[in-house]
Amino acid sequence: MGTSFGRGGATTFQQDLANADCIVIEGSNMAECHPVGFQWVMEAKARGAKVIHVDPRFTRTSAMADIHVPLRAGTDIAFLGGIVNHVLTEEKDFREYVLAYTNAATIIGEEFADTEDLDGVFSGLDPEHRSYDTETWQYEGSEMQSASGERDQKWDARTRGGAAVSESARGEAHGSGGAEIGAEPRTDPTLQHPRCVFQILKRHYARYTPEAVEQICGIPRETFRQVCDLLTENSGRERTSAFAYAVGWTQHSVGVQYIRTASILQSLLGNIGRPGGGILALRGHASIQGSTDIPTLFNLLPGYIPMPHAHTNEDLDTFVQAEGTRKGYWGNMRSYLVSLLKAYWGPAARPDNDFCFDYLPRLTGSHSTYETVMAQLEGTCKGYFLFGENPAVGSSNGKMQRLGMANLDWLVVRDFSLIESASWWKDGPEIESGELRTEDIATEVFFMPAAAHTEKDGSFTNTQRMLQWHHQAVEPPGDSRSELWFAYHLGRLIREKLRQSTSDGERERDRPVLELTWDYPTQGTIAEPDAEAVLAEINGRGADGRPLSSYEQLAGDGSTACGCWIYCGVYKDGVNQAARRKPGTEQNWVAPEWGWAWPANRRVLYNRASADPDGKPWSERKALVWWDAEAGKWTGHDIADFKATKPPDFLPPEDATGPDALTGTDAFVMQADGKAWLFAPAGLTDGPLPTHYEPQESPFSNLLYRQQHNPARQLLPHRNNRLQPSGAQPGAEVFPFVLTTYRLTEHHTAGGMSRWQPYLAELQPELFCEVSPELAAERGLEHTGWATIVTARGAIEARVLVTERMRPLRVQGRVLHQVGVPYHWGPNGLTTGDAANDLASISLDPNSHIQESKALACDIRPGRRPRGPARLALVEEYQRRAGITDDTGTEL
């Protein structure tokens, strides 16, 4: 299970791990959840690399590591911030790299106030709306225009005439790249100015001392110091270190800032854009990366172009002006967007109609999966498609998911097996408790059997941005069909019905659907659309109809069409580049002819940073690309993430725009200032610097600041989403333990692909919970016996696994016990059990809308849970004991 990897030679992911001198695996049990990728960790270890595993549990990954660092779930920012503090105070940063390639020298405006000044919050906080105005976070002498985050927060002010009109077109994307900086900001290359980023960073992390890390995370100072030494000793000019993480980092109310802290640390150490460096996201499925590239996200268009917002002044020119940047590759926004519109609407997209820009859907706010559940409960969302998702057990607060689906008019579920999201109306926990009655549920459920990847052609885009083509091996059985078949034929039938429209109003309303390019060739007895034809459309074509070879060819005048600009080149010369399988022995160690990586088959992003400002490798041992003065171009093992002919000493003319405005040392080509951001003046909703906050529900108070939680966290109050008191609040003692969820090798995500398999069901036959011998003794839990775990949302039962893999920690002067629960079970399949996610609340990271399910507070007691209405009564009893009301946990 886990990420799909090539087998012909070193890919980007493999080379970053196998070439690393130190690997920190944090937020993942990589050996068990990503075993195919873990072989490259073991190869690096065989070459002498040090492996550090940071995880609440001791796992197979820990057993193979040089150091296992147990920490309290939900405290990674304090841990990483402590390492940042060590790097800065001990002067262990790679100073030449930092000066050349980061914004360390940039001076921030004097209006900015840090958490150090405001006891845990930044300047610009609007407490009523739980949001920040980023105006005070700007570079001095510049005004950043965020390409992500809460893009719409100041729309009224920005649209009152003059130059601000362009701001009316800004989208509401979370996570797309680039931000405009306006004028060139002031800098201090000596790094001594009190408001330069470097000094702000030092002050911000000064309180993240080894003593604070020990008290917050439960990590002994000696262990922490050992981690700091190994990481800094294996970073710099001659050596590089890599971080690898998974959802143990993302599923938190500050998950994005976890990864931001790692990016700050890796930038300070010079580990970005270099072999054996980077921050590697371990995906739980072979094409999770692809599902964000094309994408399946509500707030992005393909290639991370922000989705337009429902503004009255929005047209193509103002949108491009607002979303593009003057400098860097987002300066080509018009070319990317117009080419996409041409791919969507073909001949109908013309200059005189803004290339059908008005046909694009418009956002009216955030529409994440959890807000969709709220819309279901409110009755405003009437229908729901589920493609390979099982929210009834796989999403936080499964009860809310099931109640929401019970309020729909119709529900379409496509999956391999009859998952819980297709059967909750007859076998869900709410049927047992009496909260729902099958005969009262009006939702019409359509279950559509899905084809497996072996039964269809297509591509995977895995964690290293590499597309690999899979060929159909067998025909799908019975009525099973691919997603491509389903989407294409559903669209075809809708278009046929719309063509029957008779009135002028109907025809005008339906024009965006009727004018779509929907002419894919089909093949075989079931009329399966040609997947390569779709890939060719995504790649793009020029005015002559021939496939494009690079996003550099895209134009903003309508002469090119491209379904996803970052994928341009995957069908170069009419050849499916993703299907290439040249053996590793026949090419260099980067293996550029195994599959195809976006963009431009580049295997390491920002690899200009692998060379010094003069274009020479920092070291021969870590050489990747370099400037060949004689040939007048960049060369090396990889394709340069840079204009190939741009010399290191290049200075652009003042009127240059787009990539042409980047200097010869601007390695981070998607940023408008060409720098890696140690301080983020725009793009994040919850602060320019990562800050330790306690999880939404925590047995402890925030030791660093008065501010307990992320003030910008997203909460969705509902009577079935009750939150618990935390820290020193009355009632917090009712839930004294920390609960974390995780996955197993033998099962996959919510279990829809594995609980029906006899061998896998036999290997992991029941839901269990891991507890330490000390906790077992304290609560009377017996090994292999039953335990009931309770939160303010639900109560589940699990078999008890008493194990020393769960170690008690000493946090803030007292012993803390943690409970581990895998999340693969539900009532269907060959192995059944309660759903762990029924315990989790819907409290979200404000940037990504991802739930906090890796750090909960709970109680655990011996014995099986009550049945029927008695389970609901048990949860209500806990709510009463903890004094929980509608307002509990909602404070800023």
Side-chain angles (χ1 to χ4, degrees):
M1 299 296 177
T3 307
S4 171
F5 294 86
R7 300 178 64 87
T11 64
T12 306
F13 186 95
Q14 294 159 356
Q15 73 195 28
D16 278 341
L17 286 177
N19 293 328
D21 299 295
C22 180
I23 301 170
V24 181
I25 302 169
E26 188 172 351
S28 172
N29 174 12
M30 188 177 180
E32 296 181 52
C33 300
H34 308 271
V36 178
F38 193 69
Q39 65 179 304
W40 302 103
V41 175
M42 298 309 297
E43 180 167 324
K45 185 176 173 67
R47 295 178 180 181
K50 297 298 182 181
V51 179
I52 301 168
H53 186 220
V54 185
D55 197 281
R57 300 182 301 133
F58 187 93
T59 66
R60 291 182 176 91
T61 307
S62 314
M64 303 308 299
D66 295 280
I67 307 175
H68 171 235
V69 183
L71 87 168
R72 175 166 65 99
T75 63
D76 297 66
I77 288 177
F79 172 69
L80 295 169
I83 304 176
V84 171
N85 181 42
H86 173 84
V87 169
L88 295 173
T89 56
E90 300 292 324
E91 298 185 352
K92 298 289 187 180
D93 60 287
F94 187 0
R95 186 60 56 89
E96 294 168 276
Y97 181 104
V98 168
L99 283 170
Y101 300 134
T102 79
N103 66 352
T106 306
I107 297 172
I108 305 303
E110 61 184 10
E111 299 85 3
F112 172 70
D114 193 12
T115 53
E116 305 309 292
D117 309 306
L118 302 176
D119 206 1
V121 302
F122 297 96
S123 53
L125 178 64
D126 178 351
E128 181 181 354
H129 297 98
R130 297 181 182 277
S131 64
Y132 279 106
D133 178 347
T134 63
E135 186 175 344
T136 62
W137 306 352
Q138 307 305 307
Y139 291 171
E140 185 168 88
S142 304
E143 183 178 353
M144 309 302 293
Q145 294 180 347
S146 169
S148 59
E150 294 291 343
R151 308 298 303 279
D152 197 40
Q153 63 177 342
K154 295 181 66 182
W155 182 74
D156 288 338
R158 288 198 303 257
T159 55
R160 293 197 181 105
V165 171
S166 67
E167 284 289 294
S168 69
R170 302 201 68 78
E172 189 163 302
H174 300 255
S176 63
E180 183 58 272
I181 62 170
E184 289 297 318
R186 287 184 56 205
T187 62
D188 175 19
T190 70
L191 304 184
Q192 297 305 306
H193 192 289
R195 285 189 281 109
C196 77
V197 166
F198 190 81
Q199 294 297 330
I200 291 174
L201 201 66
K202 288 182 70 173
R203 291 194 299 273
H204 181 82
Y205 286 109
R207 66 174 66 196
Y208 292 70
T209 62
E211 294 76 17
V213 171
E214 182 175 49
Q215 290 297 309
I216 295 168
C217 307
I219 300 171
R221 273 170 269 185
E222 307 77 42
T223 304
F224 176 72
R225 182 65 190 222
Q226 193 176 3
V227 172
C228 293
D229 290 343
L230 280 177
L231 189 57
T232 54
E233 288 167 3
N234 287 288
S235 302
R237 182 179 288 273
E238 294 291 335
R239 306 178 74 79
T240 53
S241 295
F243 273 81
Y245 74 93
V247 294
W249 265 10
T250 57
Q251 292 180 355
H252 294 272
S253 54
V254 285
V256 167
Q257 296 283 12
Y258 275 23
I259 302 153
R260 268 281 297 148
T261 322
S263 72
I264 290 171
L265 182 57
Q266 289 291 73
S267 298
L268 288 171
L269 295 173
N271 286 326
I272 302 292
R274 304 180 64 200
I279 305 168
L280 313 172
L282 306 174
R283 308 299 194 185
H285 186 276
S287 201
I288 292 296
Q289 183 67 53
S291 71
T292 60
D293 295 342
I294 293 299
T296 57
L297 303 175
F298 77 91
N299 48 13
L300 293 175
L301 292 167
Y304 303 91
I305 297 172
M307 183 72 79
H309 201 278
H311 289 151
T312 55
N313 297 333
E314 202 162 41
D315 60 22
L316 177 63
D317 288 339
T318 54
F319 180 84
V320 169
Q321 180 184 353
E323 295 297 345
T325 59
R326 183 190 65 82
K327 182 177 176 181
Y329 274 87
W330 283 112
N332 290 339
M333 176 68 78
R334 183 182 181 89
S335 297
Y336 308 150
L337 180 56
V338 170
S339 296
L340 174 64
L341 296 173
K342 288 293 292 184
Y344 280 168
W345 286 287
R350 306 181 307 274
D352 65 292
N353 66 1
D354 257 0
F355 298 101
C356 295
F357 177 75
D358 284 344
Y359 286 3
L360 286 173
R362 297 297 196 268
L363 288 176
T364 56
S366 179
H367 302 282
S368 73
T369 178
Y370 291 106
E371 282 145 322
T372 299
V373 169
M374 299 300 289
Q376 293 169 359
L377 292 166
E378 294 164 1
T380 55
C381 175
K382 302 293 188 180
Y384 201 32
F385 284 94
L386 289 177
F387 289 74
E389 290 285 335
N390 192 9
V393 300
S395 295
S396 276
N397 200 327
K399 180 177 181 176
M400 293 269 284
Q401 306 287 335
R402 296 184 293 268
L403 292 177
M405 288 187 284
N407 208 35
L408 294 169
D409 291 343
W410 55 265
L411 168 68
V412 176
V413 180
R414 284 182 41 79
D415 216 293
F416 303 136
S417 309
L418 197 62
I419 58 174
E420 289 76 12
S421 293
S423 66
W424 49 267
W425 52 271
K426 65 182 180 67
D427 56 20
E430 291 70 39
I431 302 297
E432 180 193 27
S433 68
E435 295 169 270
L436 290 175
R437 295 198 321 153
T438 299
E439 54 267 37
D440 296 334
I441 298 171
T443 310
E444 188 171 10
V445 181
F446 302 88
F447 180 75
M448 315 291 287
H453 70 276
T454 53
E455 299 162 356
K456 58 190 175 184
D457 291 331
S459 65
F460 291 131
T461 308
N462 53 19
T463 190
Q464 64 262 37
R465 300 169 286 101
M466 186 173 68
L467 283 76
Q468 297 176 94
W469 195 259
H470 60 84
H471 298 276
Q472 184 183 31
V474 295
E475 289 290 327
D479 292 329
S480 297
R481 296 291 185 270
S482 70
E483 283 72 31
L484 182 56
W485 184 97
F486 183 84
Y488 171 72
H489 287 288
L490 178 62
R492 179 181 59 80
L493 292 171
I494 290 173
R495 283 155 57 87
E496 288 177 4
K497 288 190 70 69
L498 293 181
R499 287 193 187 98
Q500 300 169 10
S501 300
T502 56
S503 71
D504 292 341
E506 287 177 326
R507 282 193 292 271
E508 187 62 30
R509 177 201 64 192
D510 301 337
R511 193 181 299 278
V513 176
L514 290 173
E515 293 184 349
L516 280 170
T517 56
W518 209 258
D519 51 358
Y520 308 103
T522 60
Q523 55 197 9
T525 57
I526 62 172
E528 176 75 15
D530 184 348
E532 280 209 23
V534 177
L535 185 69
E537 180 185 50
I538 291 171
N539 174 87
R541 60 183 64 90
D544 58 2
R546 295 181 180 178
L548 300 171
S549 59
S550 169
Y551 59 83
E552 301 275 8
Q553 296 174 286
L554 298 177
D557 59 4
S559 59
T560 58
C562 177
C564 182
W565 72 274
I566 59 176
Y567 279 29
C568 191
V570 70
Y571 214 74
K572 179 182 178 181
D573 300 325
V575 176
N576 185 344
Q577 305 289 320
R580 297 179 303 170
R581 294 291 185 272
K582 178 177 279 194
T585 55
E586 299 177 16
Q587 53 182 324
N588 72 25
W589 59 271
V590 174
E593 295 181 75
W594 182 279
W596 186 90
W598 68 261
N601 203 31
R602 188 170 292 123
R603 302 303 169 112
V604 177
L605 290 177
Y606 309 123
N607 58 31
R608 168 65 178 89
S610 69
D612 67 19
D614 293 330
K616 300 174 183 177
W618 291 110
S619 75
E620 289 303 316
R621 181 171 178 266
K622 293 291 181 178
L624 186 58
V625 299
W626 53 88
W627 175 251
D628 185 336
E630 186 173 329
K633 65 178 183 179
W634 288 88
T635 187
H637 307 296
D638 196 9
I639 296 170
D641 193 6
F642 213 65
K643 286 275 189 180
T645 57
K646 180 176 288 187
D649 59 357
F650 175 79
L651 294 175
E654 288 188 8
D655 59 349
T657 59
D660 295 333
L662 295 170
T663 72
T665 56
D666 286 336
F668 291 82
V669 296
M670 299 309 295
Q671 300 287 59
D673 58 355
K675 306 299 182 186
W677 282 3
L678 302 173
F679 178 101
L684 292 169
T685 64
D686 51 355
L689 292 170
T691 301
H692 168 69
Y693 298 114
E694 288 294 319
Q696 172 62 43
E697 296 172 349
S698 170
F700 297 95
S701 299
N702 190 342
L703 194 66
L704 295 182
Y705 310 102
R706 183 178 59 182
Q707 180 65 37
Q708 173 78 355
H709 306 296
N710 180 355
R713 70 195 186 282
Q714 186 179 5
L715 301 178
L716 300 176
H718 190 272
R719 66 181 182 278
N720 290 308
N721 190 38
R722 290 287 184 87
L723 303 175
Q724 299 166 189
S726 291
Q729 293 177 328
E733 70 282 355
V734 174
F735 304 100
F737 309 120
V738 169
L739 171 74
T740 189
T741 62
Y742 53 90
R743 58 182 290 192
L744 305 169
T745 307
E746 295 81 4
H747 286 299
H748 187 65
T749 59
M753 295 173 65
S754 56
R755 277 189 271 120
W756 278 259
Q757 305 303 317
Y759 298 131
L760 297 176
E762 183 178 5
L763 287 169
Q764 290 287 3
E766 287 191 273
L767 174 67
F768 61 88
C769 60
E770 293 189 68
V771 299
S772 67
E774 294 85 351
L775 178 56
E778 180 179 322
R779 286 300 170 108
L781 306 172
E782 295 183 3
H783 185 62
T784 73
W786 290 96
T788 295
I789 306 169
V790 188
T791 69
R793 275 78 52 190
I796 68 169
E797 65 181 17
R799 290 287 189 177
V800 177
L801 174 59
V802 180
T803 172
E804 293 183 357
R805 290 164 31 125
M806 301 298 291
R807 303 176 183 175
L809 302 177
R810 178 160 288 276
V811 176
Q812 296 188 25
R814 72 178 195 260
V815 173
L816 169 72
H817 295 293
Q818 303 193 92
V819 180
V821 182
Y823 72 99
H824 304 296
W825 273 268
N828 297 356
L830 298 177
T831 169
T832 62
D834 287 344
N837 283 322
D838 282 3
L839 299 174
S841 70
I842 300 178
S843 52
L844 312 175
D845 180 287
N847 302 284
S848 63
H849 306 289
I850 290 177
Q851 73 281 356
E852 185 158 72
S853 55
K854 297 301 177 187
L856 312 174
C858 73
D859 189 27
I860 187 168
R861 50 199 283 169
R864 306 193 72 168
R865 64 166 172 80
R867 279 25 221 178
R871 173 158 66 167
L872 183 60
L874 176 65
V875 174
E876 291 174 346
E877 176 197 336
Y878 268 82
Q879 292 178 353
R880 285 193 297 272
R881 285 172 50 201
I884 293 173
T885 68
D886 290 344
D887 296 327
T888 302
T890 63
E891 67 279 351
L892 185 67

